[in-house]
Each structure stands twice: as structure tokens, then as C-alpha cells.
Amino acid sequence: MSSYPTLILTTNRLTLRPMTMEDAADLFAVFSDPAVVRYWSAEPWTSVSFAKDSIARALENYREQSDVRFGIELLETGALIGTVNLHHFFPQNRRCEIGYALGSPYWGKGYATEALAAAIDYGFHELRLNRIEADIDPRNAASAGVLERLGFRKEGYMPERWFVHGEMADTVNYGLLRSYWDARRRA
Ligand SMILES: CC(C)(COP(=O)(O)OP(=O)(O)OC[C@H]1O[C@@H](n2cnc3c(N)ncnc32)[C@H](O)[C@@H]1OP(=O)(O)O)[C@@H](O)C(=O)NCCC(=O)NCCS
């Protein structure tokens, strides 16, 4: 995507921005929590070096324009409370996927919905995407809630797609078209 500028998106309560190594401790707090990775095919991080590697990869992907991973900063405190990323870009087809996580102390306050709305708006209106996809575990009700609040539609089901903490796990596929997004904004 040729139009990646330095990215800072602001919402009422949040700043979405590229991460720096100074975020490593906060990022580690998010992904070392077993509750956060409950539905991921990855184990909780066990040392802050995982966070440093992840930030280095995010910055590299950002430079290569292959992935945009925002750190979500809470304006009130300046803490990094999670991440949202646009990844798996197919520029020819104007689509990508979205991924997200918040630290568990920040669940239930609407921050994920607020952050994703800003990232989606950026994807559709700055990157000129036409479609954003998400792939979630059917047991992950909180994640489904965020997507459905934002207008994603359930499009498919793929059994036993992931190996998650010792068991096979299914996928529910969600999709959001720019036309759905713009229609909701107009309504
Ligand atoms: C998925 C995840 C980000 C959802 O977090 P969340 O806190 O449920 O989502 P939001 O931040 O949008 O908050 C929505 C909740 O806050 C409530 N809320 C409180 N104040 C609110 C406000 N000002 N605005 C909007 N919602 C508010 C909503 O009613 C809703 O609660 P409900 O689900 O009981 O109806 C979180 O569960 C998470 O990080 N999970 C681990 C990682 C993960 O699974 N990621 C997805 C992988 S696909």
C-alpha cells in the first residue's frame, strides 16, 4: 500500500499509534495474560523479550508496508492497553484482515470498539480498501460482540482450523464491506 504515512489516529479516549520499544513492558502485560490469548494458537508470553521482538517485527512490517499494527494508548493515563492491526493485505483486491487485543483490565469499557472503528475508517478511507476480514473462535463471544457492533457480517464457518492450547478450534469468518460501513455512517 503506497499511502502509508506515519500513523496517528485519535478517538475520544484513545490514540492509535506505532509502538516503540518503550511500550515493551505494557505490551508484555497484555500478552502474558492467559485470558488474553485464551482463543489464540499461541501461548502467553513468558518474558519481555517477546514484546521487544513483536515491536521490532511490527516496525519492520510497517517500513515494508506489509502490515499496520497500532498500539492503543489510553489518553487519560498514557498506558498502552492493547493493539489493533491491519494485515494480510491484498492491494490488488483491496482487502485485508483485522486483529486486536486489549489487556484484560480494560475489557468491558468500549475501548476495542472505539479503536477498531478508527482503524477501519482509516482502512476504508485512507488505504482505499473495499473489504476487511476477521477470523475468530466461535467461543470468543466478546470478539464477536465487537465485530457485530461495528457491522461485520458472519460469512462462513471452518471447522478445526487452528490448534489452540491443546485442542483443535473452529473459525467463524466475518467480513465488513466499505459499502456496509459507509451506509451505517450515513444512517
Ligand atoms: C476481543 C476484546 C478486544 C473485546 O473487548 P471488549 O471489552 O468486550 O470490547 P469493547 O472494548 O468494545 O467493550 C464492549 C463492552 O463494553 C461495554 N461498554 C462500557 N462502556 C462502553 C462505552 N463507553 N462504549 C461502548 N461500550 C461500552 C459494552 O456494553 C460492551 O459490554 P458487553 O460485551 O457486556 O455488551 C477482548 O475481549 C480481548 O482483548 N480479548 C482477548 C484477545 C482476543 O480474543 N482478540 C480477538 C481475537 S479474534
Side-chain angles (χ1 to χ4, degrees), residues 182-187:
D182 288 344
R184 281 165 59 97
R185 286 291 152 117
R186 282 195 300 272

Side-chain angles (χ1 to χ4, degrees), residues 36 40 100-102 107-113 136 140 142-143 146 149:
V36 170
W40 288 25
Y100 41 90
L102 287 183
W107 294 354
K109 300 174 196 304
Y111 294 140
T113 301
I136 76 167
N140 195 346
S143 186
V146 172
R149 264 192 296 282

Side-chain angles (χ1 to χ4, degrees), residues 100 134-141 143-145 147 170-174:
Y100 41 90
D135 156 347
I136 76 167
D137 188 307
R139 298 167 294 179
N140 195 346
S143 186
L147 295 175
D170 301 348
T171 276
V172 183
N173 303 99
Y174 278 88

Side-chain angles (χ1 to χ4, degrees), residues 1 90-96 128-131 178:
M1 305 246 110
F90 285 85
Q92 163 69 20
N93 303 305
R94 295 168 57 206
R95 73 176 143 87
C96 76
R128 315 301 295 169
L129 295 170
N130 182 61
R131 174 179 168 82
R178 179 176 170 166

Side-chain angles (χ1 to χ4, degrees), residues 6-83:
T6 296
L7 288 180
I8 297 186
L9 308 179
T10 307
T11 70
N12 286 344
R13 298 178 294 171
L14 307 169
T15 301
L16 276 60
R17 57 164 178 78
M19 288 183 286
T20 73
M21 285 299 165
E22 291 185 3
D23 297 313
D26 285 348
L27 192 67
F28 176 63
V30 175
F31 288 100
S32 57
D33 180 349
V36 170
V37 298
R38 168 65 188 90
Y39 299 113
W40 288 25
S41 61
E43 297 305 314
W45 291 350
T46 50
S47 95
V48 79
S49 66
F50 286 81
K52 290 181 180 162
D53 290 348
S54 174
I55 292 168
R57 267 197 312 279
L59 293 172
E60 183 60 25
N61 291 339
Y62 178 73
R63 271 192 295 275
E64 290 175 355
Q65 303 191 345
S66 59
D67 186 342
V68 182
R69 189 169 192 204
F70 296 99
I72 304 171
E73 181 182 315
L74 190 59
L75 277 175
E76 197 180 4
T77 63
L80 184 107
I81 65 168
T83 60

